[in-house]
Amino acid sequence: MIELKNINKTFNVGKTKVEALKNINLNVSEGEIFGVIGFSGAGKSTLLRMINLLEKPTSGEVNVKGKNLLTLNERELRNVRKKIGIIFQQFNLLASRNVFDNVAEILRMNHVPKKEIGQKVEELLLLVGLEDKANQYPANLSGGQKQRVGIARALAMDPEILLCDEATSALDPQTTDSILELLLDINKKLGLTIVLITHEMDVIKKTCDRVAVMENGEVIEQGTVIDVFSNPLEATTKSFLRNLYDDTITEDMLVKLRESGHSYILRLAFRGESALDPVLNVISSRYSVITNIVHGSITYLKGTPLGILLVHISGDEANLKQAISYLKDAVYHVDVSLELDERHKEVLAQ
Ligand SMILES: Nc1ncnc2c1ncn2[C@@H]1O[C@H](COP(=O)(O)OP(=O)(O)OP(=O)(O)O)[C@@H](O)[C@H]1O
């Protein structure tokens, strides 16, 4: 649906060059919710604005539904943009117009026949849950209601893609949840492809199918949300995830655990139903290893449970290896990288 190919973007600020995007390659499939996360200045907004060419790349290709947008003339580009809605952190509403006119304005600008406008606005307000607010002005709406108007405006021209630029960053956690629910709802009902940028992992975990992590203009890690959450590879990804679950082991703890002879710390990720499997009982009884849970947490990814356990296992070296091998088959992901000594590398390689 959306393909960003070898995208680079350099801004010239006076004599300084700012490399906002460096060799970005991303594919977003039809109907999915794709999240981009990164700290401030990572390049998220610039990347989002590439998708409707509000920002032109210095080099690279932007393909939407198989069309390279950089080859289109003004009129063709306008037509593509009609099918790409966008919502913003600051809502971007017209303060002097009521809710009805805020939405109707988009239809008028796009020359939708006058007689169709009333019904279309009514449908949109119903979809976003604002059917009783048509006559209100933005100043009299809550942040969440303002964003709902923003969403209705973005959906006015029946887009196939919705871009969300930090759409919930100005909202409190409860209102954020209600807006995320609405995005999930319209993704499902309308089959809309959604690309959102955020600096909150919570937003990613509640809504996204896949995620890309950005740092200094680069995508440093990307994959399905379940894979990235169960096995984050980069330090930045881990630090974002720490807000959801903190599985760091303190140095004090490590010192203590190192004293217990042959042992490893395993990071186990359980997905869905397998979270209920009694794997630790199995390895204790079958391989005579001693297990000790160091950390346990459960988080829900779009409703699917992901359990993370840090387990210290000790015992005879040969038994430990068999136990680890059993776990690798039994749970979603096993990481032996939280080393107590150098042996973890050998075990990881097996
Ligand atoms: N129009 C511009 N002119 C010059 N530099 C720019 C411009 N837009 C963005 N930049 C620079 O490009 C880099 C990436 O900015 P961008 O706004 O894309 O990051 P971001 O991840 O969206 O940050 P934030 O979360 O703070 O919005 C930053 O260093 C920024 O200063």
Side-chain angles (χ1 to χ4, degrees):
M1 184 75 166
I2 302 166
E3 183 191 27
L4 301 181
K5 231 168 139 181
N6 305 326
I7 296 279
N8 289 285
K9 176 70 185 181
T10 306
F11 291 108
N12 295 310
V13 186
K15 283 186 181 160
T16 321
K17 285 188 187 306
V18 178
E19 286 187 80
L21 297 179
K22 298 174 207 165
N23 198 30
I24 302 285
N25 287 289
L26 277 187
N27 283 292
V28 180
S29 309
E30 192 170 345
E32 80 171 326
I33 306 186
F34 191 97
V36 179
I37 189 162
F39 290 116
S40 186
K44 307 180 296 291
S45 299
T46 310
L47 182 142
L48 196 76
R49 291 158 61 85
M50 288 283 149
I51 297 173
N52 58 5
L53 233 49
L54 275 177
E55 205 73 74
K56 272 194 179 162
T58 309
S59 63
E61 257 180 49
V62 180
N63 295 312
V64 174
K65 292 189 80 180
K67 276 187 195 151
N68 180 353
L69 300 196
L70 292 156
T71 63
L72 303 183
N73 62 33
E74 275 299 312
R75 192 179 51 81
E76 290 167 329
L77 187 57
R78 248 194 329 268
N79 285 335
V80 172
R81 280 188 178 143
K82 270 186 204 168
K83 293 291 166 194
I84 307 179
I86 183 161
I87 56 174
F88 305 91
Q89 181 176 354
Q90 296 306 335
F91 321 122
N92 289 18
L93 305 184
L94 306 165
S96 61
R97 308 278 177 85
N98 66 20
V99 167
F100 182 96
D101 282 330
N102 258 282
V103 182
E105 177 67 17
I106 304 287
L107 299 163
R108 289 184 197 121
M109 263 168 33
N110 284 289
H111 313 293
V112 171
K114 214 171 166 184
K115 58 181 191 316
E116 290 172 24
I117 290 180
Q119 194 190 341
K120 182 71 185 171
V121 175
E122 263 177 40
E123 281 170 18
L124 287 161
L125 293 185
L126 190 66
L127 181 70
V128 300
L130 287 183
E131 60 277 20
D132 56 344
K133 298 282 183 225
N135 297 318
Q136 298 287 327
Y137 283 81
N140 301 326
L141 300 176
S142 69
Q145 289 167 338
K146 284 181 195 164
Q147 193 55 288
R148 283 170 191 268
V149 181
I151 294 172
R153 282 164 58 88
L155 298 182
M157 295 309 294
D158 300 320
E160 292 168 37
I161 296 169
L162 179 65
L163 307 178
C164 308
D165 189 349
E166 297 276 6
T168 54
S169 295
L171 305 175
D172 63 62
Q174 228 173 345
T175 312
T176 291
D177 280 353
S178 76
I179 293 297
L180 297 181
E181 294 272 330
L182 177 60
L183 292 178
L184 284 167
D185 187 47
I186 55 181
N187 162 256
K188 218 179 195 173
K189 265 192 200 147
L190 310 176
L192 208 62
T193 305
I194 298 181
V195 183
L196 62 84
I197 62 170
T198 180
H199 57 271
E200 291 172 281
M201 258 317 182
D202 201 49
V203 169
I204 302 283
K205 89 166 193 186
K206 285 177 177 154
T207 53
C208 294
D209 302 301
R210 287 193 302 139
V211 60
V213 184
M214 286 193 77
E215 188 172 50
N216 294 328
E218 288 177 278
V219 170
I220 54 167
E221 183 162 2
Q222 62 172 308
T224 62
V225 172
I226 181 95
D227 280 346
V228 172
F229 273 57
S230 52
N231 183 30
L233 301 175
E234 300 291 333
T236 299
T237 317
K238 288 178 187 170
S239 78
F240 275 118
L241 285 171
R242 218 160 280 140
N243 292 332
L244 297 182
Y245 58 82
D246 191 354
D247 60 359
T248 15
I249 298 182
T250 62
E251 199 44 46
D252 284 358
M253 224 182 213
L254 267 181
V255 170
K256 251 194 207 139
L257 295 172
R258 278 193 190 109
E259 286 165 1
S260 49
H262 277 320
S263 64
Y264 294 94
I265 295 178
L266 308 179
R267 186 177 183 282
L268 309 179
F270 299 84
R271 184 188 175 170
E273 294 300 307
S274 79
L276 302 172
D277 294 347
V279 290
L280 298 186
N281 278 347
V282 173
I283 59 167
S284 317
S285 59
R286 202 181 285 177
Y287 305 108
S288 308
V289 294
I290 298 166
T291 61
N292 181 16
I293 295 176
V294 182
H295 161 93
S297 62
I298 192 150
T299 185
Y300 289 83
L301 310 177
K302 256 184 143 174
T304 302
L306 172 72
I308 302 287
L309 275 189
L310 288 189
V311 186
H312 177 244
I313 60 169
S314 52
D316 172 81
E317 182 69 13
N319 285 343
L320 283 174
K321 283 187 178 165
Q322 283 188 359
I324 291 170
S325 165
Y326 167 83
L327 289 172
K328 281 184 174 168
D329 286 337
V331 304
Y332 189 65
H333 185 80
V334 179
D335 193 356
V336 200
S337 61
L338 294 156
E339 70 268 40
L340 291 178
D341 58 40
E342 280 293 298
R343 287 170 305 142
H344 77 280
K345 287 182 187 140
E346 187 195 323
V347 178
L348 260 185
Q350 287 166 3

